[in-house]
């Protein structure tokens, strides 16, 4: 009997010790899993809706059309808004990709005698061309291209540090705001599905799926006309009006059954986030006409719109070499000119 009981007793004591270590290991693993689970659940929640299902096919068709147009696109002298030995500014058309526009710059900068050889690819451009700013495929307006690495570094830094003032105009459809001037501040980032979304201002700095973080974005809107009423104004530095500042912390409440107005706005983006103006217009309930990605109407008053109506109107900055102030303005596109023809005081 003692010979039999001793191994059983020894085995019991050994198992208890092993189980104790195993239990501690399990508790450690569960705590790590719990921490990871909590951090996943604590990712910021986007406050703007996901992309509408209708946008997928429409955007694909638009992209294919733009690729065809961009492949044969060439700048003309009339597209040049500003030119000196350090940089050139051009008026980008709607439906053209930025990189295609950049590729067409060397030929327009070349001497007439060299232009044919450049077009055939037989001569390298003497310039180190860089896009100082980018515009969405369907956004028209001012684009600045620098002619050397040195100038590019200075001007890109100016954009990053918000030293460049920008104005845009857009035609929106929605319930007209009560205020003539609105400043909206929010977060900006990519959702787990890869789409750009509005986040709460309080979420700025928080981590998103994939490792990026929520960044701040701020836009001031000036209402230029509602249903053809009020007068157009020249671009100006927006006045700060705390009473009309919206700090985004929750989802917008949009009355989908409310009367839809035609609203012509000017936007002053302080930050330069991707799709910033389009996202903020969507949040305010006045999405840009034709902007199907952000709930803009695709059809309006019997007409179908093949692109969104957003135009980069002006850029002003300190010249990266001379230090002199530079203001570059692009002529308004046809859709904006037509709006202004109907505006009354």
């Amino acid at each position: 009997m003692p010979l039999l009981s001793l191994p059983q007793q020894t085995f019991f004591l050994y198992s208890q010790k092993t189980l104790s270590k195993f239990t501690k290991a399990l508790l450690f693993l569960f705590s790590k899993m719990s921490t990871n689970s909590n951090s996943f659940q604590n990712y910021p929640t986007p406050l703007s809706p996901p992309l509408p299902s209708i946008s997928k096919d429409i955007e694909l068709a638009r992209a294919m059309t733009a690729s065809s147009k961009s492949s044969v696109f060439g700048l003309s002298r009339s597209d040049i808004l500003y030119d000196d030995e350090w940089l050139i500014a051009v008026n980008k058309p709607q439906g053209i990709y930025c990189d295609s526009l950049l590729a067409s710059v060397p030929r327009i900068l070349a001497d007439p005698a060299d232009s044919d050889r450049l077009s055939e690819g037989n001569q390298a451009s003497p310039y180190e061309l860089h896009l100082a700013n980018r515009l969405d495929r369907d956004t028209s307006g001012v684009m600045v291209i620098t002619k050397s690495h040195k100038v590019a570094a200075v001007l890109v830094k100016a954009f990053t540090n918000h030293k460049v003032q920008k104005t845009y105009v857009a035609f929106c459809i929605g319930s007209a705001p009560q205020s003539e001037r609105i400043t909206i501040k929010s977060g900006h980032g990519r959702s787990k599905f890869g789409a750009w979304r509005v986040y709460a201002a309080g979420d700025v700095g928080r981590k998103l799926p994939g490792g990026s973080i929520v960044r701040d974005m701020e836009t001031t809107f000036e209402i230029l006309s509602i249903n053809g009423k009020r007068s157009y104004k020249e671009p100006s530095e927006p006045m700060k009006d705390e009473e009309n500042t919206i700090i985004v912390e929750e989802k917008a409440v949009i009355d989908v059954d409310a009367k839809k107005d035609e609203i012509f706005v000017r936007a002053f983006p302080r930050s330069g986030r991707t799709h910033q103006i389009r996202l903020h217009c969507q949040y305010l309930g006045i999405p840009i006409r034709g902007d199907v990605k952000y709930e803009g109407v695709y059809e309006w008053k019997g007409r179908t719109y093949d692109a969104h109506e957003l135009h980069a109107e002006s850029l002003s900055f300190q010249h990266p070499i001379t230090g002199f102030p530079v203001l570059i303005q692009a002529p308004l596109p046809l859709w904006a000119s037509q709006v202004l023809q109907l505006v009354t005081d």
Side-chain angles (χ1 to χ4, degrees):
M1 289 296 294
L3 291 174
L4 292 172
S5 62
L6 182 60
Q8 288 179 351
Q9 187 178 15
T10 304
F11 178 75
F12 174 75
L13 291 173
Y14 177 76
S15 299
Q16 193 176 41
K17 188 180 294 185
T18 302
L19 283 171
S20 177
K21 291 181 178 179
F22 184 66
T23 301
K24 288 181 179 179
L26 279 176
L27 288 172
F28 175 77
L29 287 173
F30 280 135
S31 68
K32 294 293 287 182
M33 290 172 64
S34 176
T35 300
N36 290 338
S37 176
N38 287 338
S39 64
F40 177 79
Q41 292 174 356
N42 286 332
Y43 281 134
T45 301
L47 301 183
S48 55
L51 303 184
S53 57
I54 190 178
S55 68
K56 184 177 180 180
D57 292 338
I58 294 174
E59 281 293 301
L60 178 59
R62 289 177 177 180
M64 293 176 66
T65 300
S67 293
S68 298
K69 289 174 60 179
S70 297
S71 65
V72 296
F73 174 74
L75 281 167
S76 66
R77 286 285 169 184
S78 61
D79 295 320
I80 298 176
L81 304 173
Y82 177 93
D83 188 18
D84 64 24
E85 61 182 292
W86 300 287
L87 54 87
I88 181 173
V90 299
N91 185 20
K92 174 189 169 300
Q94 188 183 66
I96 297 295
Y97 286 106
C98 291
D99 291 333
S100 298
L101 183 145
L102 179 65
S104 71
V105 171
R107 185 179 183 189
I108 203 168
L109 291 178
D111 292 334
D114 296 328
S115 60
D116 290 338
R117 282 180 290 170
L118 267 176
S119 64
E120 296 169 1
N122 296 326
Q123 180 177 327
S125 170
Y127 301 104
E128 303 161 339
L129 300 175
H130 298 267
L131 292 170
N133 68 311
R134 302 184 74 92
L135 297 176
D136 298 335
R137 176 195 66 217
D138 292 333
T139 302
S140 57
V142 182
M143 280 190 57
V144 177
I145 296 109
T146 57
K147 298 180 181 180
S148 73
H149 298 312
K150 177 182 176 182
V151 177
V154 176
L155 197 52
V156 168
K157 185 177 180 180
F159 274 97
T160 303
N161 294 337
H162 311 309
K163 300 296 185 183
V164 179
Q165 284 73 51
K166 298 165 280 187
T167 71
Y168 290 71
V169 290
F171 193 85
C172 306
I173 305 293
S175 297
Q178 298 300 309
S179 303
E180 185 176 347
R181 191 185 297 271
I182 303 167
T183 294
I184 177 171
K185 301 178 181 181
S186 73
H188 170 272
R190 279 190 188 274
S191 70
K192 63 181 179 180
F193 300 108
W196 295 106
R197 309 281 284 280
V198 171
Y199 286 83
D203 286 334
V204 171
R206 292 182 61 190
K207 193 173 182 180
L208 292 166
S212 63
I213 64 170
V214 177
R215 301 187 181 277
D216 66 302
M217 65 174 173
E218 176 182 337
T219 313
T220 294
F221 290 96
E222 185 178 66
I223 310 302
L224 300 177
S225 73
I226 300 173
N227 299 324
K229 305 295 183 182
R230 298 188 190 179
S231 59
Y232 176 77
K233 302 174 184 176
E234 290 299 322
S236 61
E237 181 66 24
M239 300 288 290
K240 292 291 182 181
D241 188 345
E242 295 300 326
E243 292 183 2
N244 297 327
T245 297
I246 297 172
I247 309 296
V248 174
E249 293 296 350
E250 56 188 22
K251 291 184 177 181
V253 179
I254 306 297
D255 184 357
V256 294
D257 296 321
K259 173 179 173 288
K260 296 294 189 292
D261 298 302
E262 296 182 342
I263 310 149
F264 190 49
V265 304
R266 175 174 287 120
F268 303 82
R270 181 180 180 276
S271 43
R273 310 301 179 204
T274 304
H275 299 178
Q276 173 173 332
I277 296 170
R278 298 165 64 185
L279 282 163
H280 274 167
C281 282
Q282 178 192 31
Y283 186 87
L284 291 172
I286 53 170
I288 298 170
R289 187 166 63 182
D291 192 3
V292 292
K293 182 173 282 190
Y294 299 115
E295 301 186 305
V297 296
Y298 176 56
E299 296 179 334
W300 182 250
K301 293 186 176 180
R303 178 183 168 186
T304 299
Y305 290 84
D306 297 325
H308 63 248
E309 295 180 323
L310 177 64
H311 177 70
E313 181 185 33
S314 73
L315 285 177
S316 59
F317 53 89
Q318 188 179 47
H319 195 285
I321 300 300
T322 67
F324 293 132
V326 176
L327 171 62
I328 303 170
Q329 288 183 269
L332 293 175
L334 180 61
W335 61 262
S337 299
Q338 290 174 339
V339 171
L340 296 181
Q341 289 174 2
L342 300 174
V343 169
T344 58
D345 293 332

